[in-house]
Amino acid sequence: MNNQIKEYKKAREKFLEAVNRFPEGKRIVKLFGTWSIKDMLAHIVGWECLSVEKVRAIKNRQLPEWIEDVDKQNAKVVKEFENKDWSEVYAALIKSGNEMIQEYESLPAELCVKQAGPNLKYTPQRFLEQETKHYQENHLQKIEHYLKLFRS
């Protein structure tokens, strides 16, 4: 799990570097479908907070709450952050990522593969892999695409 935590930290660092280069005037422009980069950050905060809650539940030997409707969850969290300014959303992103790291680093090894969803494939280890993959393959690529366009 230590290697996965390192990969998460590395992916998150690269993502934050790209976010920090994103032009201030473009932060609330809907460039990512119906989302702005601010909305994207809110989305990430929402899922990282859920991941933290799942790990805490597992540490307490409880089966975590499961989100059935991903689109509904995404809309809910983006709406929650709708009236917050950039600095509040960015601070929430930093906090949620730090909490992810703290919770996963303190997760006993035997609980890393403990069921955390409706079937055995959902484990804390898999959630961390998914968060890392989203940073690396989805969110970072989208931001870098627009950063290139802005430079040209």
Side-chain angles (χ1 to χ4, degrees):
M1 187 69 144
N2 286 339
N3 286 339
Q4 288 171 314
I5 294 169
K6 285 179 188 174
E7 284 298 309
Y8 170 81
K9 288 177 178 179
K10 189 167 74 172
R12 183 172 177 257
E13 184 178 316
K14 284 183 179 181
F15 176 79
L16 290 173
E17 287 171 1
V19 166
N20 290 329
R21 292 192 322 266
F22 211 83
E24 191 173 328
K26 302 281 188 187
R27 291 177 179 169
I28 60 169
V29 176
K30 307 288 185 198
L31 298 170
F32 309 97
T34 59
W35 287 356
S36 66
I37 189 172
K38 182 183 132 192
D39 298 331
M40 181 191 291
L41 299 189
H43 155 78
I44 293 169
V45 170
W47 285 104
E48 286 184 337
C49 287
L50 287 172
S51 189
V52 166
E53 287 174 17
K54 284 177 176 32
V55 170
R56 288 178 179 159
I58 288 168
K59 286 179 180 178
N60 291 320
R61 308 295 196 253
Q62 299 169 342
L63 188 60
E65 181 182 343
W66 186 251
I67 303 297
E68 291 290 336
D69 190 333
V70 172
D71 293 331
K72 185 177 177 181
Q73 169 62 22
N74 285 337
K76 175 186 161 200
V77 74
V78 168
K79 180 103 174 122
E80 287 174 11
F81 282 87
E82 185 176 52
N83 295 318
K84 297 191 185 299
D85 66 26
W86 174 262
S87 63
E88 291 174 290
V89 177
Y90 188 85
L93 178 70
I94 298 302
K95 181 180 180 203
S96 66
N98 289 342
E99 287 179 352
M100 284 271 296
I101 293 165
Q102 179 182 341
E103 291 301 326
Y104 278 95
E105 285 180 338
S106 65
L107 184 65
E110 69 274 9
L111 297 180
C112 293
V113 292
K114 180 88 171 141
Q115 183 176 348
N119 65 49
L120 293 175
K121 75 177 185 176
Y122 297 106
T123 65
Q125 181 175 328
R126 181 150 189 248
F127 293 139
L128 186 59
E129 289 169 357
Q130 290 301 310
E131 293 292 345
T132 303
K133 189 176 180 180
H134 280 118
Y135 273 131
Q136 293 169 329
E137 297 177 11
N138 189 344
H139 303 310
L140 178 60
Q141 288 181 5
K142 288 178 181 176
I143 290 172
E144 287 180 338
H145 168 77
Y146 279 100
L147 288 172
K148 286 177 188 173
L149 287 177
F150 298 151
R151 283 194 300 262
S152 37

